[in-house]
Amino acid sequence: MYDYLIVGAGLFGAVFAHEATKRGKKCLVVEKRGHIGGNVYTETEENITVHKYGAHIFHTKNKKVWDYVNEFADFNHYINAPVAFYHGEVYNLPFNMNTFSRMWGIKTPDEAKAKIAEQVKKAGVSEPKNLEEQAVNMVGEDIYLKLVKDYTEKQWGRSCKELPPFIIKRLPVRFTYDNNYFDDPYQGIPIGGYTPIIEKLLGGSEVKLNCDFLEHREELEALADKIVYTGATDRLFGYVLGKLEYRTLEFETEVLGTENYQGNAVVNYTSHEVPYTRIIEHKHFEFGKQPKTVITKEYPKAWEEGCEPYYSVNNDKNDALAEKYRAMAAEKGYILGGRLADYRYYNMDTVVEKALAVCERLI
């Protein structure tokens, strides 16, 4: 009945469905949740667009991808400039001259570099072997202890000494007074949220919500020539080789009777005493002036079966296991795509780029 059965109505599945449909293919999309959009799903509350599964800021260096997503929505000019709270102190992120000036009372890039060099020399680590050593080598001990250590350990549920260095390497360090977190030339938030984009992408496909593919596998697989799978591969095979490790999140959302709760869309809480990692104030993504506001606190948790897997724990053991599952999927003829199937953390532009590439290769 269908050329493609697409498991998952998130960003990868939706882009693939749209491109396949444009090429004359008939697609059925099944989604175990009760809504489309996966983790980029947004809904409206108090006339405010709420990111139900955490903040999603679209940013990219790829003009082709930027032009593509702009076919489906108008994007505003939101710039991601989070701040961090530590025991009553407020710091700008990413690490830049505003951060260094607040931390050490200095003014110039040379002063900041000298301070960091002094602390790196004191630490005496030339080849960092873990996240703690890497962070100290990047920004010095003071910033590591106040803005990195506790936040990261809350996020990952383990000591920074047990985490690989690459996790911290992607964080920018700048010796300019620039609070723009990303250096990508294209950045913004779709006005009205991501759900309308997904609706347009899925417009030519049949969609079934509240439909867990693995609970109706035999019946669904019989309906299509090929299967695009965007879920977790260990669950696809009943954890036969063992479970991959993930971190999950719990969200606590509140409507507050105040116009402006924290003055910024994203505020990180970098001390262990605060159990959540950050608070999102959704209206600031679209420069809202509504009389009320909606905030969401994010609590990282250990993943257990039945929870939503948000972040892959990429170490040698898990990566090797994920590769075995991907090989099993390829042998069975599944087409894999997205962060869960690939067992990788992806920004949204990468997901779009990969979905376009897979569709182009296959059809």
Side-chain angles (χ1 to χ4, degrees):
M1 292 177 63
Y2 301 94
D3 297 296
Y4 289 96
L5 169 67
I6 300 167
V7 181
L11 193 55
F12 186 98
V15 170
F16 186 96
H18 181 76
E19 292 302 305
T21 302
K22 279 201 312 186
R23 291 164 169 83
K25 303 301 180 181
K26 190 176 181 182
C27 298
L28 170 64
V29 181
V30 296
E31 169 59 54
K32 68 178 182 178
R33 292 176 177 173
H35 59 73
I36 61 173
N39 289 348
V40 304
Y41 172 70
T42 53
E43 63 184 25
T44 301
E45 194 166 353
E46 298 294 337
N47 202 31
I48 297 167
T49 301
V50 175
H51 297 224
K52 291 296 288 186
Y53 301 99
H56 287 83
I57 299 102
F58 202 98
H59 58 97
T60 186
K61 293 179 174 64
N62 188 326
K63 189 174 188 303
K64 178 183 175 182
V65 168
W66 180 247
D67 289 342
Y68 183 83
V69 295
N70 274 266
E71 292 177 20
F72 306 98
D74 292 323
F75 281 69
N76 66 19
H77 59 281
Y78 176 82
I79 297 296
N80 192 31
V83 297
F85 284 2
Y86 179 83
H87 293 304
E89 301 171 0
V90 182
Y91 295 92
N92 290 102
L93 298 174
F95 308 127
N96 67 72
M97 285 304 299
N98 287 308
T99 321
F100 307 142
S101 177
R102 177 77 174 88
M103 183 71 66
W104 297 312
I106 53 91
K107 296 179 180 178
T108 68
D110 284 344
E111 289 177 295
K113 290 176 182 179
K115 192 71 176 178
I116 292 172
E118 174 190 328
Q119 296 190 1
V120 170
K121 183 179 180 181
K122 182 180 177 182
V125 177
S126 57
E127 295 185 13
K129 295 181 174 60
N130 56 51
L131 190 149
E132 179 176 290
E133 293 174 352
Q134 181 65 47
V136 171
N137 268 28
M138 287 171 62
V139 290
E141 186 178 53
D142 292 343
I143 289 176
Y144 166 69
L145 290 176
K146 287 189 174 184
L147 303 183
V148 177
K149 183 179 185 298
D150 289 2
Y151 182 92
T152 304
E153 291 179 352
K154 284 191 292 186
Q155 181 74 14
W156 293 102
R158 62 192 68 189
S159 167
C160 287
K161 294 178 181 179
E162 300 171 10
L163 292 167
F166 75 83
I167 293 176
I168 194 75
K169 285 183 179 180
R170 66 187 184 93
L171 296 185
V173 179
R174 299 195 189 105
F175 294 94
T176 58
Y177 288 91
D178 179 8
N179 294 325
N180 182 358
Y181 197 89
F182 305 118
D183 62 359
D184 298 320
Y186 310 109
Q187 181 177 168
I189 299 282
I191 298 169
Y194 290 95
T195 300
I197 295 178
I198 304 299
E199 287 173 347
K200 291 176 183 177
L201 288 168
L202 293 175
S205 302
E206 184 177 341
V207 180
K208 289 186 177 181
L209 301 178
N210 298 304
C211 180
D212 190 328
F213 166 71
L214 297 180
E215 293 179 3
H216 307 278
R217 189 174 192 156
E218 187 175 344
E219 165 194 342
L220 290 169
E221 287 191 344
L223 297 178
D225 293 334
K226 297 179 182 178
I227 298 169
V228 177
Y229 183 79
T230 68
T233 51
D234 55 350
R235 183 169 180 259
L236 176 63
F237 293 106
Y239 310 108
V240 65
L241 303 178
K243 293 179 180 179
L244 292 165
E245 289 184 274
Y246 298 92
R247 292 290 286 173
T248 189
L249 294 170
E250 288 185 1
F251 301 98
E252 186 180 282
T253 299
E254 304 173 64
V255 177
L256 303 178
T258 182
E259 183 182 351
N260 187 356
Y261 174 72
Q262 62 186 17
N264 205 50
V266 182
V267 176
N268 290 357
Y269 288 79
T270 62
S271 68
H272 262 307
E273 289 78 7
V274 180
Y276 42 84
T277 49
R278 62 182 182 174
I279 296 180
I280 309 301
E281 188 168 9
H282 301 270
K283 69 189 306 178
H284 295 307
F285 288 129
E286 296 189 44
F287 317 107
K289 302 295 184 185
Q290 298 89 342
K292 293 185 179 181
T293 195
V294 180
I295 66 167
T296 299
K297 297 174 182 176
E298 292 187 14
Y299 297 83
K301 300 284 184 181
W303 178 84
E304 297 176 353
E305 190 176 349
C307 297
E308 183 67 27
Y310 284 95
Y311 300 107
S312 55
V313 181
N314 291 107
N315 54 32
D316 291 343
K317 176 186 173 183
N318 285 316
D319 288 346
L321 181 57
E323 183 57 38
K324 290 178 181 178
Y325 278 123
R326 284 194 293 269
M328 290 173 64
E331 187 178 337
K332 295 288 186 181
Y334 292 105
I335 301 160
L336 300 181
R339 63 183 180 88
L340 291 181
D342 288 351
Y343 198 69
R344 284 285 181 270
Y345 176 83
Y346 288 143
N347 290 323
M348 286 181 288
D349 65 323
T350 302
V351 174
V352 173
E353 185 177 3
K354 286 181 174 292
L356 292 172
V358 171
C359 201
E360 181 71 27
R361 174 172 57 83
L362 291 175
I363 310 176

